[in-house]
Amino acid sequence: MRLEEIMDLEVPLIRDDFLSAQLGANVSYLDGSVFQTRTVKDLRNAHRILKDRKSGLDFIVYYDITYGNSGLSLAFCVTEEMEFDENKLGRLQVYHRHVHSLVVVPTGYQDLMADMGVLNDIVCERDFSQPISEEDIRKTAFEWLSRKKMEPEKWIIRPIVDPDQPGSGYHGLGEEILRQTNNPDKVFVPYGNGETGLGIYRFFAEKLYNREIIKMPKIVFVQSEGRKEITNKSLTEDKTRTAYIAFEDIVKKLQAQGKIDVIDVSEEERDYEYNLLKDRITLEKTSALAFAGARKYALNANDNVVIVNTGRSLMYEKRFLH
């Protein structure tokens, strides 16, 4: 599947009578399992790589700091961006674009990715309880490029997250929600680095500004207690911020202005939702956060609610909480 095809995918919004009865509102969920890696991260990553391609940028190592499906998606999208020609023997041999991926995973996780046959260019392990610096990322990338005799000085090392346009890769999810609903009242989104929720918020905010909709849905960011603990530790220590909290300031500002809500969900609340739904819906535990958040939130019987199901992780869900 080419990157352009990913951007053209229609993401179905599924009305669920069981969830509606459980939560006491009109509930639908956005199903991210249509993507190649079964996660909406494909949308973000394809958007970023295509944007750079159209700008004429080459010699790029994209990096991501991830517990699982985001790294799988980055590896997939980068692989799709490699273009080859057939020689006279019909063998793919000529490599056109210079694009690679660097995925940072928690200590002890690298072997699991290798076991699954994921063709990441670079996978490195780090202690996720500590902030991970850009200097560390660049050094790791340059060492790998040097070993491959790729002249590191030619290469741009950049996060797959676009810091200048937070959430830009997820505008399409807002569009899919609006296309398939008559402007929902509330949208629940798992809160990792905040990109997915910010992309949906920006889409609806722009529609409201342009008077294309008459009301702004409440976007609810649902975070795990573990994420909250890591975020507070990183902010308190005032060290180099990881991509995990890249947009924390923006989210906090919107929350303080009453434009979005942020709620916390315990491990027990998340696991209850996951076990309730795992045989009915393709989801991972991160996605279960959003469903648990909807159950915890005060919903009205007439509310039209959308839950963003980011997809299914191909990782070993029992090993890590996120």
Side-chain angles (χ1 to χ4, degrees), residues 39 45 56 60 72 100 108-109 135 143 145 152 163 263 293 306:
T39 167
N45 296 335
I60 303 174
L72 279 169
H100 289 287
Y109 208 67
E135 180 182 354
E143 288 175 350
L145 291 166
I263 60 173
V306 172

Side-chain angles (χ1 to χ4, degrees), residues 89 108 148-149 216 268-269 291 294 298:
L89 298 177
K148 300 291 184 179
K149 303 186 186 307
M216 180 74 185
E268 291 75 17
E269 289 169 324
F291 291 89

Side-chain angles (χ1 to χ4, degrees), residues 43-169:
L43 188 64
R44 184 274 306 272
N45 296 335
H47 177 272
R48 174 71 155 162
I49 294 171
L50 286 172
K51 179 183 174 184
D52 286 344
R53 185 212 293 174
K54 291 174 183 176
S55 299
L57 293 179
D58 208 346
F59 292 94
I60 303 174
V61 175
Y62 294 101
Y63 71 82
D64 198 8
I65 301 171
T66 171
Y67 283 85
N69 62 13
S70 182
L72 279 169
S73 174
L74 174 58
F76 163 75
C77 288
V78 164
T79 300
E80 289 301 288
E81 188 65 353
M82 297 177 183
E83 297 177 2
F84 298 83
D85 284 337
E86 289 188 7
N87 62 16
K88 292 180 181 179
L89 298 177
R91 294 174 181 168
L92 300 176
Q93 105 176 355
V94 183
Y95 176 45
H96 281 303
R97 294 209 72 226
H98 299 88
V99 183
H100 289 287
S101 63
L102 188 162
V103 178
V104 184
V105 298
T107 302
Y109 208 67
Q110 185 172 352
D111 289 345
L112 297 181
M113 295 190 75
D115 287 346
M116 300 190 69
V118 180
L119 298 177
N120 285 91
D121 299 306
I122 317 167
V123 181
C124 61
E125 299 173 303
R126 294 294 183 272
D127 179 1
F128 271 31
S129 67
Q130 301 297 322
I132 301 164
S133 70
E134 184 177 349
E135 180 182 354
D136 179 21
I137 298 289
R138 292 179 62 83
K139 181 181 178 182
T140 302
F142 281 177
E143 288 175 350
W144 184 85
L145 291 166
S146 296
R147 288 198 301 272
K148 300 291 184 179
K149 303 186 186 307
M150 291 187 181
E151 301 177 85
E153 64 276 4
K154 287 184 177 181
W155 291 77
I156 301 169
I157 316 299
R158 68 192 312 171
I160 192 64
V161 172
D162 189 344
D164 299 321
Q165 292 185 306
S168 57

